[in-house]
Amino acid sequence: MSTTRLGAPLRHLILLILTVAALAPAYLMVTGSLKSQDEFLQSPWSLPTSPRLGAFRAALGDQLAQWFLNSVVLTVTAVLITVTIAAMAAWGLVHWPFRGRDTVLALTVSLMVVPPVVLLLPLFQLGAKLGWISTYRIVIIIYVGLMLPFSIYLLANFFRAIPTSLFEAAAIDGASAWRTFWRIVLPLSGPPVATLVVVNLLWVWNELLLALVFLQSDSKKTLMVGLTGFQSRYSLDIPTVMAGMSLAVLPLVLAYLFGQRYFIQGLTAGAVKGE
C-alpha cells in the first residue's frame, strides 16, 4: 500500500516535468514573438511587458504568406488523396476475397520500413525526365505513396473489427458493395479517419527533405523550406524568427485540437475483433 501511495505522486511528478519540458520551447517561441529584440535578449523567459505585433507584420511582409498558402494547398491535396485511396484499398483488401490478398496486404505494409531518402535519387531522375521538378504533381505523388502503407494498415485493422453481421444485413436489403462502403463503413470510420488526417497532416506539413529537393522554385516553396532561409535572413532579429515559427505551428495545433476527440479512439481502433 505504501509503495502504491508513493508511486502515484512520483508518476505525477515525472509527467509534470515532461510536460514542462515539452511546453517550454512553445512558451519561449510565443512570448519571444511578442517582444522587442532588446527585451528578448535581456529576459528571454519572462512574459512580454508590452506585447507587440511588429514581428508578425515583418514575417508576413516577407514571402511567409505565400509559403504558408503553398503548404496548405500541398498538405490538403496530399492528405485527401491519401485518405480516399487508403479507405477504398483497405476495404477491398479486407472484404473482397481474391487469391494473394494477404500477400498484397503484407507487401503494402512492408513498404513502411523503406526510408524516403533511399528513393530520393531515382525519384529525382524520374521527375527531371518528366519535367515535373518544381511542380506540385511530383511532390504530391511521392507524399501519397509514402503515406499509403500506414494508412491502409490502420484502416484495414479497423475494417476487420466491424461486425460482419452489418454487411450481411445490408446485403439482404439489396445494398451493393459500394453502397455498403459508403453508407455503413465510412460513417463508422470517423475515429481512424480522423487519426489518419491528423497524423498525415503533421507529417506533410513538417516534411522538409523532399520539398527542398523537388520544389526548387522560390514561388513553390513550402513553409518549412522557406523558414530555413527565413531564419538565416532574420538571424539577428529573433522576434521575427519566433513569429514565423509561431505561424508555422498554428495550423498543426488547430488540427489537433479539432481532431483530438477522435484521436485516441482512432489509435485503438481495431483492437477488438468484431463478431
Side-chain angles (χ1 to χ4, degrees):
M1 181 64 69
S2 59
T3 304
T4 303
R5 289 178 179 177
L6 290 175
L10 181 61
R11 289 195 298 269
H12 293 161
L13 178 61
I14 294 174
L15 290 174
L16 179 61
I17 294 173
L18 293 176
T19 301
V20 172
L23 293 179
Y27 168 82
L28 186 66
M29 179 181 65
V30 175
T31 57
S33 64
L34 299 174
K35 296 178 181 178
S36 64
Q37 177 81 350
D38 293 337
E39 184 180 2
F40 180 85
L41 293 176
Q42 291 174 2
S43 55
W45 291 102
S46 65
L47 290 171
T49 54
S50 56
R52 59 192 71 192
L53 300 177
F56 287 95
R57 285 193 292 268
L60 292 173
D62 204 307
Q63 291 180 285
L64 197 71
Q66 180 62 47
W67 298 332
F68 188 94
L69 180 60
N70 293 345
S71 289
V72 170
V73 172
L74 191 63
T75 302
V76 171
T77 304
V79 170
L80 286 179
I81 293 175
T82 299
V83 173
T84 302
I85 296 176
M88 292 188 290
W91 171 249
L93 288 171
V94 169
H95 286 284
W96 288 357
F98 59 89
R99 181 176 297 179
R101 179 181 62 176
D102 294 337
T103 302
V104 172
L105 182 58
L107 290 174
T108 301
V109 173
S110 68
L111 294 176
M112 290 191 294
V113 303
V114 179
V117 67
V118 303
L119 304 174
L120 198 60
L121 182 58
L123 288 175
F124 186 85
Q125 292 176 337
L126 177 62
K129 290 181 180 179
L130 296 174
W132 286 4
I133 302 300
S134 291
T135 66
Y136 290 148
R137 285 173 294 181
I138 184 67
V139 179
I140 290 174
I141 292 173
I142 294 173
Y143 284 169
V144 171
L146 291 174
M147 291 187 292
L148 271 178
F150 171 74
S151 301
I152 293 174
Y153 169 74
L154 179 64
L155 291 179
N157 284 338
F158 177 79
F159 291 161
R160 285 198 184 102
I162 300 177
T164 55
S165 58
L166 294 176
F167 309 136
E168 294 170 355
I172 293 174
D173 290 339
S176 63
W178 173 251
R179 188 178 181 86
T180 301
F181 174 73
W182 183 256
R183 293 295 182 90
I184 297 177
V185 176
L186 287 185
L188 294 174
S189 306
V193 169
T195 301
L196 276 184
V197 169
V198 173
V199 171
N200 290 338
L201 186 148
L202 291 174
W203 184 81
V204 175
W205 188 270
N206 288 318
E207 202 283 321
L208 176 62
L209 177 61
L210 295 172
L212 182 65
V213 172
F214 288 95
L215 298 177
Q216 300 178 0
S217 172
D218 198 52
S219 62
K220 296 295 181 65
K221 287 181 179 178
T222 62
L223 187 57
M224 292 301 124
V225 175
L227 280 177
T228 58
F230 184 84
Q231 294 178 51
S232 300
R233 290 200 302 275
Y234 293 96
S235 59
L236 300 179
D237 189 354
I238 298 176
T240 301
V241 174
M242 296 292 186
M245 292 180 176
S246 298
L247 292 172
V249 170
L250 182 60
L252 305 182
V253 175
L254 294 176
Y256 182 77
L257 289 177
F258 283 107
Q260 65 176 334
R261 59 178 298 185
Y262 301 108
F263 193 72
I264 301 301
Q265 300 176 43
L267 292 178
T268 57
V272 180
K273 175 69 176 176
E275 298 296 335

